[in-house]
Amino acid sequence: MSTLKAWIAAARLRTLPLSVSGIIVGSSFGNSAFQMPEGITNCFGFYPIPVYKSPLFWLAIAVTIGFQILSNFANDYGDGIKGTDANRQGEKRMVASGLISPKQMKVGMIITGVITFFLATILIFGAFGNENFILSFVFFNLAIASIIAAVKYTVGKNAYGYSGLGDVFVFLFFGLLSVLGSYFLFTKTLHWELLLPATAIGCFSTAVLNLNNRRDIENDAEVGKRTLVVKMGFEKAKQYHAFLLLFGMLCTVGYSILNYWDAMQFVYVIAFIPFILNMKTVFKNTEPRLLDSELKKVALSTFLFAILFAIFN
């Protein structure tokens, strides 16, 4: 494998669509609410400008991708130097396989972190300018917290991914912070109803992590990586997985009912079909390693859901 291919593999491109799902939902709502020219409205009560025309949206996407790649590099590095990935199932890890040295991965993490923080600075300044110092200060600290959280997942003696707290991180950062934070960048306000789609994205993202941890349960248990799946056991993790997907679907339907204006709002249920099929597969599964292909299905279905939900709600 060439050096370039090794770094691309370490970036784990298949995780990127999932990471931006919350940004798509939050930014779409925020950008639409932000654009309210006097006397020009539609059925929503405002005249929306497509979110893809907003520089803030693309900056938010770039920052999120940066955080995700940093997290992937850190995960590869942390698990690699601890020997966790020595006999893992699924995709090959670069540090564990020797294709990228720990020192090189460390440098890659630093470079990715610096670039991502620089982009986050531009995003924050573009959203708040000079006149909102307190808001800028808060979001700068959130950016720093995101970098620390991305690295500490598997790096260090007290890596929280090794104590079953990875699910909490994914739910908070991929769900609540991603949706509510991107919405706030546009509007400088929050609405409690947005907790429903934010919770849904968080649940779907956590379901992907749960699949990952269920695939790796045997190896993680052997090396002392106490993920939530290892703690609760393989069978109970199936029920937990079903809860995450069902509760996420319920939250989105609840949001659409509370804000109903047309039946087209529910077109996103198309993305629920793969979720339901995935639950069926999960409950029948007895071989953890066979769950690897299911990760991509749930991740891409979440991405599809985010696009459809953002467009029609």
Side-chain angles (χ1 to χ4, degrees), residues 34 54-57 59-60 63 117-132 135-136 139-140 182 184-188:
F34 182 68
S54 168
L56 286 181
F57 170 71
L59 276 170
V63 169
F117 188 74
F118 174 71
L119 291 173
T121 301
I122 297 174
L123 172 63
I124 293 166
F125 182 78
F128 303 120
N130 295 318
E131 63 274 10
N132 290 296
L135 292 178
S136 295
F139 271 78
F140 272 123
S182 55
F184 193 85
L185 285 172
F186 284 99
T187 66
K188 318 300 184 293

Side-chain angles (χ1 to χ4, degrees), residues 161-177:
Y162 279 70
S163 57
L165 296 176
D167 295 58
V168 177
F169 161 79
V170 168
F171 179 80
L172 291 177
F173 282 83
F174 281 68
L176 301 189
L177 182 60

Side-chain angles (χ1 to χ4, degrees), residues 10 12 39 72 106 121 155-157 167-168 180-181 205 208-209 219 247 252 254 256 269-270 291 294 299-300 307:
R12 304 183 205 174
N72 291 341
K106 224 174 186 180
T121 301
V155 176
K157 293 182 180 180
D167 295 58
V168 177
L180 300 180
S205 300
V208 175
L209 177 64
N219 181 67
F247 189 67
T252 56
S256 297
V269 297
I270 294 171
L291 291 171
E294 294 298 308
L300 291 178
I307 293 173

